[in-house]
């Protein structure tokens, strides 16, 4: 009964490819997020979705696009992958007090 | 420019003693603070939080202290256990944990030695 799950856990791909990372939460939260942890270990917000509306969009390249088919899912699509996209991507969902994170997806772009 | 700073990248403590992890922030609009614990190859796990209207919150072995005038918070773990060995992230939000995005510090790696 994992609260926030992500697939795949590891993703290795070539530059220029398009890939997706899936995220699902069973906590009934209205808001879901994507974070990126870069090589310097900083965790930074990328997107959040509340009731299918994008409410935060930090300075992320438009090659990244979140897609939410329903309240329990927020998938991350990445087009034309670049070397600098290599990082660990975390999905999270939140209630009024805190956010709960998935296990992360380590993306390696070769 | 880092709005949330954890200036100690690592901390080593003996089992049974107190661990004190520190966090400083610069944005006076932050009104909610959280601590997360992270094991390798896992996502951050929520540990404890504190609202800016309080100066202390306690949950078992974990206590968070907030000093708003100094823009400083700390996490105390007592007694420390080997299973506490992990990276601890401090995070802050200006609108509450969910409606606003969390700004994270860089983390402090805690090692508790038996």
């Amino acid at each position: 009964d994992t609260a926030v799950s992500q697939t795949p856990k590891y993703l290795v791909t070539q530059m220029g490819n398009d890939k997706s990372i899936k995220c699902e939460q069973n906590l009934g939260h209205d808001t879901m997020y994507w974070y990126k942890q870069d090589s310097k270990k900083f965790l930074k917000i990328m997107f959040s979705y509340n009731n299918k509306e994008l409410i935060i969009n930090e300075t992320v390249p438009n090659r990244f696009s979140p897609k939410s088919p329903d309240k329990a899912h927020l998938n991350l699509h990445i087009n034309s992958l670049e070397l600098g996209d290599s990082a660990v991507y975390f999905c999270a969902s939140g209630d009024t007090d805190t956010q709960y994170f998935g296990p992360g997806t380590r993306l390696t772009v070769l | 420019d880092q709005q949330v700073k954890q200036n100690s990248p690592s901390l080593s403590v003996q089992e049974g003693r107190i661990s004190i992890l520190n966090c400083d922030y610069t944005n006076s609009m932050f009104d909610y603070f959280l601590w997360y614990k992270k094991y390798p190859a896992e996502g951050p796990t929520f540990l404890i939080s504190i609202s800016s209207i309080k100066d202390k919150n306690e949950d078992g072995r974990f206590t968070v202290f907030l000093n708003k005038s100094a823009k400083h918070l700390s996490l105390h773990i007592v007694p420390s256990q080997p299973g506490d060995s992990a990276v601890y992230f401090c995070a802050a939000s200006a609108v509450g944990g969910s409606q606003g995005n969390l700004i994270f510090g860089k983390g402090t790696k805690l090692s508790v030695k038996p």
Side-chain angles (χ1 to χ4, degrees):
Chain A
D1 56 346
T2 305
V4 182
S5 59
Q6 294 177 231
T7 53
K9 190 165 178 63
Y10 300 97
L11 183 54
V12 181
T13 188
Q14 299 285 334
M15 274 175 53
N17 284 350
D18 302 336
K19 290 293 179 184
S20 296
I21 306 173
K22 295 184 178 181
C23 177
E24 178 180 2
Q25 57 100 356
N26 62 8
L27 297 168
H29 293 151
D30 288 331
T31 310
M32 295 182 70
Y33 307 81
W34 277 103
Y35 286 82
K36 178 181 179 180
Q37 186 179 34
D38 59 23
S39 57
K40 296 181 180 178
K41 304 302 181 186
F42 277 108
L43 263 166
K44 293 184 180 177
I45 183 78
M46 297 178 71
F47 302 102
S48 71
Y49 253 77
N50 184 311
N51 290 327
K52 296 192 177 182
E53 289 187 53
L54 180 67
I55 59 173
I56 300 175
N57 185 353
E58 298 294 318
T59 53
V60 173
N62 58 14
R63 298 181 295 103
F64 290 79
S65 57
K67 289 194 170 41
S68 179
D70 54 59
K71 197 173 85 166
H73 296 84
L74 183 64
N75 303 324
L76 183 64
H77 298 273
I78 316 169
N79 295 326
S80 303
L81 278 156
E82 300 177 357
L83 293 176
D85 298 332
S86 295
V88 182
Y89 293 84
F90 290 98
C91 176
S93 73
D95 58 19
T96 54
D97 293 324
T98 191
Q99 295 176 22
Y100 301 88
F101 285 78
T105 296
R106 181 174 291 277
L107 171 64
T108 303
V109 182
L110 304 175
Chain B
D1 183 33
Q2 295 178 55
Q3 298 185 67
V4 178
K5 299 178 185 179
Q6 294 177 256
N7 292 319
S8 298
S10 62
L11 174 68
S12 184
V13 171
Q14 205 68 33
E15 181 179 6
R17 308 293 286 268
I18 185 171
S19 296
I20 300 176
L21 299 121
N22 293 304
C23 179
D24 298 293
Y25 61 96
T26 57
N27 189 341
S28 57
M29 297 300 291
F30 287 146
D31 61 359
Y32 198 75
F33 304 89
L34 307 91
W35 284 95
Y36 283 84
K37 174 180 177 180
K38 186 182 181 302
Y39 294 117
E42 293 184 13
T45 301
F46 170 71
L47 203 54
I48 192 169
S49 62
I50 188 167
S51 164
S52 60
I53 63 173
K54 295 184 176 180
D55 55 18
K56 177 183 174 181
N57 188 24
E58 191 172 352
D59 183 2
R61 297 186 297 114
F62 303 92
T63 303
V64 55
F65 296 91
L66 175 62
N67 182 335
K68 281 188 295 184
S69 60
K71 293 191 177 68
H72 176 84
L73 65 155
S74 61
L75 174 68
H76 292 213
I77 307 172
V78 56
S80 301
Q81 299 173 355
D84 296 329
S85 296
V87 177
Y88 289 78
F89 289 96
C90 171
S93 172
V95 194
S98 184
Q99 278 66 46
N101 55 309
L102 294 180
I103 308 297
F104 281 85
K106 201 171 178 179
T108 297
K109 184 175 183 179
L110 173 66
S111 300
V112 180
K113 301 187 184 305

